Amino acid sequence: MSKMKNTIDPAVNYLLPLAKKAGVETVWDRFAVMKPQCGFGELGVCCRICWKGPCRIDPFGNGPQRGVCGADAHTIVARNLARMMAAGAASHSDHGRHIALTLLEVGEGHAPAYRIKDEQKLRNIAEKLNLAPAGKDIRQIAKEVAQASLDDYSRQKRSIPCNWAKVTMTAERVEKLVDLEVMPHNIDAVIAEIMARTHVGCDADAANILLGGLKGALADYTGMCLSTELSDVLFGTPEPVVTQANLGVLKEDAVNIAVHGHNPLLSEIICDVALKMNEEAKKAGAKDGINIVGICCTGNEVMMRRGIPLATNYLSQEMAIVTGAVDAMVVDVQCIMPALTSVAECFHTEVITTMPVNKITGATHIEFREESAVESARKIVEVAIEAFKRRDKRKVNIPDYKQTAIAGFSAEAILAALSKLDAKDPLKPLIDNIVNGNIQGIALFAGCNNPKAIQDNNFITIAKELAKNNVLMLATGCGAGTFAKTGLMTQEATEAYAGESLKAVLTAIGKAAGLNGPLPLVLHMGSCVDNSRAVNVAVAIANKLGVDLDKLPLVASAPEFMSEKAVAIGTWAVTLGIPTHIGIVPQIMGSPVVAEFLTEKAKELLGGYFIVETDPEQAAAKLVAAIKERRKGLGI
Ligand code: CUV
Ligand code: SF4
């Protein structure tokens, strides 16, 4: 029997046999023995919401068609899906809350490890939120912006939309979403409402449950916008930076610290502190001092702002430890495999958890608190240096694979580059090129990896096809990780893969912006919460053209997604009017009503819709077709 390839990442393919030899079990081993996965679960028709269950609906119509309480497949599928959106929203917005609370602390003069790094951005945000910042002290502005953000977690008046949702969309979209009653007024309340309405014996109408889910997805969006923007205030707005990606960024003669998870509050301080502890690392025998590398979205955050190299993306996080060269893997929240500590048992690596809500059995817990951030970071670096002393040289296998990656494309950075072509009207060159067809459309790649797909393969296959078709590409999350690792965030990739007219535009912008050549083929916009950056760009274009988002030749794709957060992101993309491809079969197919709602009804209602396609070539064709349809609608 021929075995399906697991990944196209050469570093991982180099390490997998070594993992096997060392007796290390990986995500792919566990996936293989999990198969065949439960058919009821795959279809979404298994309900465990109450203890009269578990109940499952027979998809072939021979067995039970209702759960013990009478819930049918549609109710069950819709409830399961809405709860995933709530969980996604909870994750992103909890992250946002941490950032907002930290900004409040800074405004009040506490949290000494933090400061306002980008004052202009803070003023711009205050302006946007109608807080009349002119003449106010910067700390006062910080307090007011933090408070306006925290209001999005506490407002009780249902008729008033969340600040951040309202000011970041087109006016037309806001109106539409208010009319549909899916505009969130309070992130936490919306999440709670989804949990309440999906309790046994509540909302049983699939469409109504899904509308509740959309509101949850927009709560996710709201939390994400404020996370991104306030992080820029505290840590700086990203600007283009040249760095590297893939496991070859680990260094044999350095104390290697991998920062992994999502929240930049700790990783930023670790970077600051590590710079000052290089001498201590050298004293311990690490000639090259301390080498910080990133994994997943924490990795994207520090890559965007500091050019810290990215070691790998989600699916291969265990492989970082298998190199035998990671001295500490410091994790905060989300997408951290509980398997890490078992892998680390075979090596000297310290897995260090840092959040009170995120402990892993077998890990070392060093609790992180904003008010004593520097001390926690110091302790963590010390533990890493100690671990380095225990590193077994014979077990070190750093794959010789790394690629150049240009990251740091915030909306501001893109506008700055464009302004070199037209200082008065920076969007004009971009819009002109979309209208004349040199750029056919814009695609945003987002989301995770999933062992149900060959790691990175869907991303790469689709991107190369879209490049040929002159589609401008943006990426976030582990998708951005894929493109960074495979060299598609380089100028050479533009030369090699972009269609002629796209290449000409990227070259004109790149040269004007002072790069010695084109912009990279795929623009790295950051972590998952940074998907809001892509919305910023899209909304600016829509406003300029005087149309809503559902008219733009704009698509999104999460070809290898897995997390509940990705479910929430994909859903808000659809809710904002964007055709959104997913490359993994969603766990909803047991209900034709739900499937139809998300792929067809959504299009009528919102303009955006889901495209489900597991074949990457077919997916690319469908995305190009969606872009063409939009162009036709605009008459361009
Ligand atoms: Ni938030 S959510 S695997 S790290 S993109 Fe990466 Fe990004 Fe998915 Fe997780
Ligand atoms: Fe079964 Fe209904 Fe309970 Fe779900 S809520 S487990 S369908 S009885």
Side-chain angles (χ1 to χ4, degrees), residues 92 261-262 296-297 314 334-335 447-449 477-479 528 562-563 565:
H92 284 138
H262 280 80
C296 281
C297 282
Y314 174 75
Q334 303 162 20
C335 303
C448 334
N449 310 122
C478 287
C528 292
M562 60 91 198
S563 73
K565 292 178 293 169

Side-chain angles (χ1 to χ4, degrees), residues 110-317:
H110 312 309
Y114 302 91
R115 64 191 178 88
I116 298 159
K117 223 177 201 167
D118 192 340
E119 289 200 12
Q120 190 52 50
K121 177 128 191 183
L122 180 58
R123 288 183 191 279
N124 295 348
I125 291 171
E127 201 64 68
K128 211 170 176 160
L129 292 170
N130 295 316
L131 298 172
K136 284 183 192 159
D137 172 65
I138 197 73
R139 292 232 316 249
Q140 178 61 27
I141 302 177
K143 276 194 279 186
E144 291 182 20
V145 165
Q147 199 48 61
S149 306
L150 293 167
D151 285 348
D152 283 353
Y153 295 86
S154 59
R155 182 181 300 103
Q156 296 304 323
K157 255 213 161 108
R158 298 178 66 90
S159 57
I160 303 177
C162 281
N163 291 322
W164 278 97
K166 199 175 64 189
V167 303
T168 52
M169 296 178 197
T170 58
E172 203 180 316
R173 189 59 28 178
V174 172
E175 203 177 308
K176 184 185 276 276
L177 299 179
V178 168
D179 281 352
L180 280 170
E181 293 178 21
V182 297
M183 197 64 164
H185 66 293
N186 169 331
I187 296 168
D188 288 346
V190 168
I191 295 166
E193 183 182 272
I194 291 178
M195 297 314 285
R197 74 195 290 166
T198 56
H199 183 273
V200 57
C202 294
D203 206 351
D205 180 75
N208 203 43
I209 295 167
L210 292 173
L211 287 171
L214 297 188
K215 203 202 270 187
L218 289 170
D220 179 85
Y221 168 80
T222 308
M224 197 171 271
C225 289
L226 69 92
S227 285
T228 304
E229 301 299 293
L230 303 188
S231 295
D232 283 354
V233 170
L234 291 172
F235 306 121
T237 305
E239 289 170 13
V241 55
V242 183
T243 178
Q244 291 180 312
N246 215 345
L247 287 164
V249 301
L250 292 167
K251 292 184 186 160
E252 188 135 16
D253 294 315
V255 174
N256 290 305
I257 302 178
V259 290
H260 174 16
H262 280 80
N263 196 326
L265 281 174
L266 169 64
S267 48
E268 279 286 332
I269 309 299
I270 289 190
C271 293
D272 286 342
V273 165
L275 282 174
K276 296 185 192 124
M277 292 176 70
N278 260 325
E279 284 315 309
E280 277 153 272
K282 285 183 186 162
K283 251 184 248 151
K287 245 186 13 238
D288 293 337
I290 292 171
N291 179 38
I292 301 196
V293 301
I295 297 179
C296 281
C297 282
T298 289
N300 285 322
E301 296 272 352
V302 290
M303 185 185 213
M304 289 285 285
R305 296 202 179 87
R306 294 176 175 255
I308 298 280
L310 186 79
T312 198
N313 55 355
Y314 174 75
L315 209 51
S316 35
Q317 55 185 271

